[in-house]
Amino acid sequence: MTLNKENYFEDKIEDNAVIIKPDQGEKLELNTISITFKVTSEASNDQLGVYEISLPPMCIGAKLHYHRFMDETFIVNEGVLTIQLGNNEYQAGPGTVVYVPRFTSHGFKNDSNETVKLTLIFNPSQKREGFFRGLHKTLNEVPIDPKKYLKLYNKYDSFPVDTSNMIPLRE
């Protein structure tokens, strides 16, 4: 018989912290939207995803959708973000934090003439970087294939409220 030598009464201190400076992180350009990966699924063991988003004037970030397995938090750093929660829209200025728990329909856009910069946090992250990379590829195709877009959305725990109006483009 082998005895388990693990000590259940003492913590094992680890040194796994990550420091990401303002100019660091993988950056993707989705048409006119900029996304910078700060804390990735890999770095956090899929527990947390932190991303910097830059939305140019009159740009849609995402149409109304929800998540089943993750919560999403928006922190507005610059500009005024229009956030849709259900059937209501709110103007979120600098310093505003919007917490969106799973199964809460939401969307976001920039309705202003100024760039909006925000921090987007997913918990757990559900390998969100794959979603952003797939979005980059899908939204750069002409024409955009709605079936492919929906497949990507669903794979990464995103479910449009209205599949006939899910592509983040202004009509």
Side-chain angles (χ1 to χ4, degrees):
M1 180 173 164
T2 306
L3 293 177
N4 187 345
K5 296 186 183 213
E6 186 171 344
N7 186 334
Y8 296 103
F9 301 100
E10 292 183 29
D11 294 331
K12 179 183 175 194
I13 305 298
E14 297 179 358
D15 184 11
N16 293 327
V18 177
I19 297 173
I20 301 98
K21 295 184 179 177
D23 60 342
Q24 291 180 320
E26 179 184 345
K27 190 173 188 174
L28 287 179
E29 299 288 338
L30 301 175
N31 295 326
T32 56
I33 299 172
S34 170
I35 300 171
T36 304
F37 301 170
K38 292 299 187 173
V39 177
T40 62
S41 300
E42 183 180 353
S44 71
N45 195 29
D46 211 25
Q47 295 303 299
L48 186 69
V50 180
Y51 312 94
E52 285 182 355
I53 311 291
S54 179
L55 291 175
M58 306 310 292
C59 179
I60 297 174
K63 298 255 181 128
L64 203 57
H65 67 284
Y66 66 94
H67 308 289
R68 292 178 177 162
F69 303 106
M70 66 180 143
D71 300 338
E72 190 170 355
T73 303
F74 297 79
I75 303 171
V76 180
N77 302 316
E78 291 179 27
V80 177
L81 181 71
T82 300
I83 185 115
Q84 183 179 3
L85 300 170
N87 294 323
N88 299 308
E89 285 191 352
Y90 302 91
Q91 302 301 308
T96 303
V97 175
V98 180
Y99 170 66
V100 183
R102 53 200 78 178
F103 293 103
T104 302
S105 59
H106 62 286
F108 65 101
K109 59 188 172 179
N110 180 358
D111 284 334
S112 77
N113 292 320
E114 306 290 327
T115 297
V116 172
K117 294 185 179 180
L118 63 134
T119 302
L120 194 54
I121 301 169
F122 290 94
N123 180 26
S125 56
Q126 301 281 313
K127 299 184 181 7
R128 203 71 184 159
E129 302 81 25
F131 171 77
F132 289 130
R133 288 183 183 110
L135 204 56
H136 179 265
K137 182 177 181 184
T138 304
L139 292 178
N140 281 314
E141 294 175 352
V142 179
I144 296 170
D145 181 348
K147 288 180 183 176
K148 188 174 180 180
Y149 183 85
L150 183 59
K151 185 175 181 177
L152 174 73
Y153 238 57
N154 292 165
K155 178 179 178 179
Y156 289 98
D157 190 34
S158 293
F159 300 89
V161 172
D162 178 1
T163 55
S164 69
N165 184 24
M166 65 183 171
I167 309 292
L169 299 174
R170 291 198 184 260
E171 283 90 40

